[in-house]
Every structure is written in structure tokens, then in C-alpha cells.
Amino acid sequence: KTIGTQVWMTENLAYLPSVVGPGTGSNSTAYYYVYGYDGTSVATAKATTNYQTYGVLYNWPAALTACPSGWHLPSDAEWTQLEEYLIANGYNYDGTTTGNQIAKSMANYSGWNTSSTVGAVGNTDYPEYRNKSGFTALPGGYRYSNGTFYYSGNYGRWWSSSQANSSYAWYRSLYYINSGVYRGDTNKGNGFSVRCVRD
């Protein structure tokens, strides 16, 4: 999907060369997870509804090399470029062109838990803005570094290729009760979704 001058994948990456349960983790060794699956069979993991809906959760070392040829994991700056384009070009749910209210315009029609917060991803208000960008963000939840899966239906989190320090990397998050995209940095051992951007 072309958004501004960038071309983004509109599905979470599903590349799964191997799989482990959420109890296995590392900041430096690549690991791949499927939400809700606690095992090591790639075939079994791929047969799950969560895999087919949300794709794979990658720790940061895995995310760095997961995108196919011709694509790459977006940098923190490339995520910012996407956000700034959407804000400036009328994708805020309230029609403004300043401030970050673009989450609804990035979010898939279904799959998100319900919220009554005005303009939030989980609210059915402003239907003309729902997924207006075509980014089709899904709430795939995440694998937390304590070894458990959290918040499918509530959160979608996506890695950037930019590290904050030796242990942390930058990511973006959509949350069902919020109207904006969140930028944060977190432990590289967490398992997040991946969206690739074209080289």
C-alpha cells in the first residue's frame, strides 16, 4: 500500500522459520512466537487461528532480518515519516492536521476490543476514517519479556529497526482505547509484530 512516498505491507509479517513458546526469550538470539502457542512445531503453529489472523511475533533480533528481499524493517524515522504524512494529509479522525489522532485511520475494521473513548481505535464513531490509510493494523498482542502473551484484541505493537540502547529498541503501538499512535522503546526480548516497508 502506497502511503505518501512509502510502500507498506498491509498485513503483519508471517515469516516463521522456527517457533518457541513464550517462556523462551533473548535480547540477542532471534526467536519467533505465535500468540497463544506454546510449543516448537512450525506446522502446528501455522495451523492456529492466531497465526492466520495476526502473523508472527518477533523479538528484535528476529525482526531485523525477517522482511523478504526488497523490503526492510522500518527505522524509527520511517515510522515517523508515515505518521507525519497521515497527520498532514487529513487522516486524524477529527479532520485536524496537527497532533497525533491517526490511529483509527490505520486500524483494521474488525478484531479490536470495544472502547467508548471518542476517536479511539475501539470506537465505532467516525466510520469514514476507519482504516482510511489502508494500513490495516491488527491487535496481535505481544510476547512480554517475562515469558507470557498479553493483550490480543487490545494492542498492536510493531518494531522499528532503530535501537535506543544496547538492550532497548523503538517501536510503535496502537491501543484500542487511544486515538493516537504511541512511540516507545522497550526490551529487545519482547515479541512484537512486524510490518515491512519497501526498499
Side-chain angles (χ1 to χ4, degrees), residues 131-152:
N131 203 30
K132 184 178 176 181
S133 70
F135 188 85
T136 318
L138 288 165
Y142 53 92
R143 181 260 176 193
Y144 194 50
S145 54
N146 67 0
T148 50
F149 291 117
Y150 283 115
Y151 299 127
S152 171

Side-chain angles (χ1 to χ4, degrees), residues 103-104 107-108 112-113 115 117 119-124 130 174-180:
K104 185 184 289 285
N108 187 53
W112 293 88
N113 290 338
S115 167
T117 303
V121 171
N123 198 332
T124 56
R130 171 65 72 173
L174 266 64
Y175 187 32
Y176 78 112
I177 60 172
N178 288 352
S179 59

Side-chain angles (χ1 to χ4, degrees), residues 23-48:
T24 302
S26 173
N27 272 10
S28 53
T29 301
Y31 284 116
Y32 309 83
Y33 309 92
V34 172
Y35 193 98
Y37 178 70
D38 187 4
T40 56
S41 166
V42 170
T44 304
K46 284 185 172 181
T48 64

Side-chain angles (χ1 to χ4, degrees), residues 46-131:
K46 284 185 172 181
T48 64
T49 301
N50 279 333
Y51 173 83
Q52 292 160 20
T53 304
Y54 300 123
V56 173
L57 299 174
Y58 302 84
N59 71 357
W60 192 72
L64 285 177
T65 61
C67 289
S69 178
W71 300 78
H72 62 274
L73 188 67
S75 67
D76 184 49
E78 285 174 313
W79 277 110
T80 299
Q81 182 183 335
L82 170 68
E83 293 163 350
E84 290 178 348
Y85 174 84
L86 292 176
I87 292 164
N89 286 278
Y91 291 87
N92 281 341
Y93 78 86
D94 56 3
T96 57
T97 52
T98 56
N100 182 332
Q101 306 290 336
I102 55 175
K104 185 184 289 285
S105 288
M106 293 176 68
N108 187 53
Y109 287 92
S110 61
W112 293 88
N113 290 338
T114 303
S115 167
S116 58
T117 303
V118 173
V121 171
N123 198 332
T124 56
D125 62 353
Y126 300 94
E128 67 276 16
Y129 282 92
R130 171 65 72 173
N131 203 30

